Amino acid sequence: MATSTRDSDGTEPQRGYWRWSKQDFLPEESFQSWNNYVSALSQTWLRFKDRLFSRSDDATETEELKKQSEHDMKRCLNWWDMIWFGFGAVIGAGIFVLTGQEAHDHAGSAIVLSYVASGFSAMLSVFCYTEFAVEVPSAGGSFAYLRVELGDFVAFITAGNILLESVIGSAAVARSWTSYFTNLLNRPKNSLRIKTNLKEGYNLLDPIASGVLVIASVITMISTKKTSFLNWIASAINTAVIIFVIVAGFLHADTSNLSPFLPYGAKGVFQAAAILYFAYGGFDSIATMAEETKNPSRDIPIGLIGSMSMITVIYCLMALSLSMMQKYTEIDTGAAFSIAFQSVGMKWAKYVVAFGALKGMTTVLLVARLSQARYITHIARCHMIPPWFALVHPKTGTPINATLLITIASAIIAFFTGLDVLSGLISVSTLFVFMMISAALLVRRYYVKGVTPRENLLKLVIFLVLIIASSVGISAFWGLKPNGWLGYTVTIPVWFLATLGMSLFLTQQRVPRVWGVPLVPWLPSLSIATNVFLMGSLEYDAFIRFAVCTVVMLIYYFLFGLHATYDMAHQQEKLQSKLHHTETIKNEGP
């Protein structure tokens, strides 16, 4: 049974789980009447300045905010669950679908180098995530980490991108599920989708994708431990299929298919790497399960680093086997591995591959339902979205309301939107979030409020700005003149000297209690540079969509989120309590 959390007066909450009161959706005083809301809007600038530099702390994220859920999630997972969650979260649509798409369109036979580049960048982010997950074991994942280190406003923008990544990522995997299911049934491409006269990219309606999302969500709402068991079985089957793909692919390899190795040049390799980052993006799911892990300080590092190291090797071997089985110009962009085996005379193998791919994408959806609902839960605990979504069901120990929110949104998008539209946008959001986590880790190591001298804080800000700016410069120069070299003579030395300056002229203010990123500040700084570089390798259309979504988030923040945060409400409560205490003293007299 889940453990109840007591109210501030010591009594158990009596309200049922399925409730629809105004307090559950608009809890703050600012929204109780139109006049209060208008008054709150008039203070927007003052509140924004206050929240811009306001930071949470470890205890608030891991203990205080949990009370908003009224019941605790069940601690039922160990390191074994974490490793298989890593496999289940990551190995899916990315390797089975995007590999063929990017090999054909951008990287050619050098697709293996694209996986090396994106895998290297992902591992740098994994190190940063692992330290945070051990130090701040919260269901909020990256959102909670950024609230602690970079403040409320940065955390909200990141939260918006997490939500965007969650919704679009799940929709993309669900669309891929339909493609492989079609191939398994040996039916023509898109035959299971409904054709309409809508704009291209949105004109193939996919009810199967929406249905798969709903089924996965129902399973995760019932029990986290049972979901873990199903994930373990499905991932084991998927691993067997992967071993078959690698071995059979190398047995039917033709090294002449690797020539030309770089048909699109180095630019194509990194452009593909940016898209393929989507294939690694699920690893942050493990961090969101910290509240349900029995021993987070041991289980999460094993799960994150162990699973991601193995997955990187697997991805590179699978990409190489595909490139040697079939020339890049002949690779099918929808079901690459199945068609490749068919081309070498193993027609039956395409069904094995399609079945394994379906298993992989099913586990991705299962783990995504778990992690995304926990992100939503913690964001709702902070009141940035209605706290009704923070509630944990007393019997199942799972956040059912949050799961429903993310499922409905994903199912609607999956019903209308094609994979090619989704993949670029999700990569921008993912890379942006991971870049911010790396920056937050540097802040965590070098700045402690009330301890770090103001002079050192100024140096930290300068070095961090130079690291990010030089990384943007490297990425921009690569995009504008990929064959040039002059710009790098400025941007790369600036990045190096800024990182060196941070290492030489600043003293680390915080030492990790259990596990920490090695070679700080070099590894986090390199993570910032690689994430920004990969972002710059994407097409401009992805940034336009990203910018539009960010503007929508900012509008929501200034009209609603800024005035509804948990911290703002408690700040007002403390102020009112202080005023009341002052008035009492005055009335009592000397």
Side-chain angles (χ1 to χ4, degrees), residues 221-548:
M221 286 188 286
I222 294 173
S223 167
T224 300
K225 188 62 179 178
K226 289 178 181 176
T227 303
S228 176
F229 181 70
L230 288 175
N231 171 71
W232 182 84
I233 295 174
S235 295
I237 296 173
N238 192 33
T239 302
V241 172
I242 287 170
I243 294 173
F244 164 79
V245 169
I246 294 172
V247 173
F250 277 94
L251 289 175
H252 291 82
D254 182 356
T255 54
S256 66
N257 287 328
L258 295 176
S259 182
F261 188 68
L262 287 165
Y264 300 103
K267 183 176 183 179
V269 169
F270 288 109
Q271 191 170 351
I275 297 293
L276 292 174
Y277 205 95
F278 170 70
Y280 291 96
F283 73 79
D284 56 330
S285 300
I286 298 175
T288 67
M289 298 176 196
E291 288 183 22
E292 295 157 278
T293 305
K294 295 177 182 178
N295 188 351
S297 62
R298 179 199 65 187
D299 299 338
I300 290 178
I302 293 174
L304 268 171
I305 298 174
S307 62
M308 284 300 295
S309 299
M310 291 184 282
I311 287 167
T312 302
V313 175
I314 287 171
Y315 277 2
C316 292
L317 291 175
M318 289 186 71
L320 187 58
S321 69
L322 176 65
S323 298
M324 289 195 295
M325 272 196 296
Q326 202 171 23
K327 203 168 187 64
Y328 76 93
T329 53
E330 299 170 357
I331 291 176
D332 185 89
T333 58
F337 286 93
S338 295
I339 302 303
F341 276 112
Q342 187 175 338
S343 71
V344 295
M346 297 178 65
K347 293 184 179 180
W348 58 271
K350 76 172 187 177
Y351 299 108
V352 177
V353 174
F355 179 72
L358 282 178
K359 283 289 185 181
M361 285 180 266
T362 301
T363 60
V364 167
L365 291 175
L366 278 174
V367 180
R369 296 301 86 191
L370 285 174
S371 64
Q372 292 161 7
R374 281 136 189 83
Y375 270 131
I376 298 292
T377 298
H378 200 76
I379 293 169
R381 287 170 176 173
C382 300
H383 295 193
M384 288 188 175
I385 60 175
W388 186 77
F389 296 108
L391 300 177
V392 172
H393 197 278
K395 291 184 178 180
T396 65
T398 59
I400 293 178
N401 294 346
T403 307
L404 290 173
L405 173 64
I406 201 71
T407 300
I408 292 170
S410 299
I412 292 173
I413 292 178
F415 187 70
F416 289 100
T417 314
L419 181 63
D420 55 338
V421 176
L422 297 170
S423 58
L425 179 56
I426 188 64
S427 293
V428 174
S429 296
T430 303
L431 290 165
F432 174 75
V433 172
F434 292 169
M435 184 271 289
M436 295 302 296
I437 288 294
S438 301
L441 184 73
L442 290 175
V443 174
R444 182 173 182 83
R445 286 292 193 94
Y446 287 100
Y447 175 70
V448 175
K449 187 176 181 180
V451 176
T452 305
R454 185 176 180 83
E455 178 185 353
N456 285 3
L457 174 59
L458 181 61
K459 290 179 183 178
L460 173 62
V461 171
I462 293 173
F463 288 139
L464 197 56
V465 168
L466 287 174
I467 288 171
I468 295 174
S470 59
S471 299
V472 171
I474 294 169
S475 179
F477 190 74
W478 171 262
L480 295 173
K481 293 184 178 181
N483 298 320
W485 58 270
L486 186 61
Y488 302 128
T489 61
V490 176
T491 55
I492 292 178
V494 169
W495 173 85
F496 178 82
L497 291 174
T499 309
L500 181 65
M502 188 177 289
S503 176
L504 295 178
F505 300 111
L506 291 177
T507 302
Q508 292 190 35
Q509 302 290 309
R510 183 185 277 113
V511 178
R513 294 186 295 270
V514 179
W515 193 96
V517 177
L519 300 176
V520 173
W522 294 99
L523 285 189
S525 179
L526 188 58
S527 179
I528 292 172
T530 55
N531 282 311
V532 171
F533 183 79
L534 291 176
M535 285 177 68
S537 299
L538 292 169
E539 299 287 348
Y540 75 95
D541 287 345
F543 286 94
I544 292 175
R545 299 187 190 110
F546 176 75
V548 170

Side-chain angles (χ1 to χ4, degrees), residues 92-105 107-108 111-112 115 272 276 279 315 318-320 322-323 331-333 336-337:
I95 185 63
F96 285 109
V97 177
L98 293 180
T99 305
Q101 174 183 305
E102 294 308 305
H104 184 278
D105 296 342
I111 187 67
V112 63
Y115 270 113
L276 292 174
Y315 277 2
M318 289 186 71
L320 187 58
L322 176 65
S323 298
I331 291 176
D332 185 89
T333 58
F337 286 93

Side-chain angles (χ1 to χ4, degrees), residues 5 40 85 96 104 133 156 253 270 455-456 550 562-563:
T5 302
F85 270 136
F96 285 109
H104 184 278
F156 177 82
F270 288 109
E455 178 185 353
N456 285 3
T550 301
L562 174 63
H563 314 289

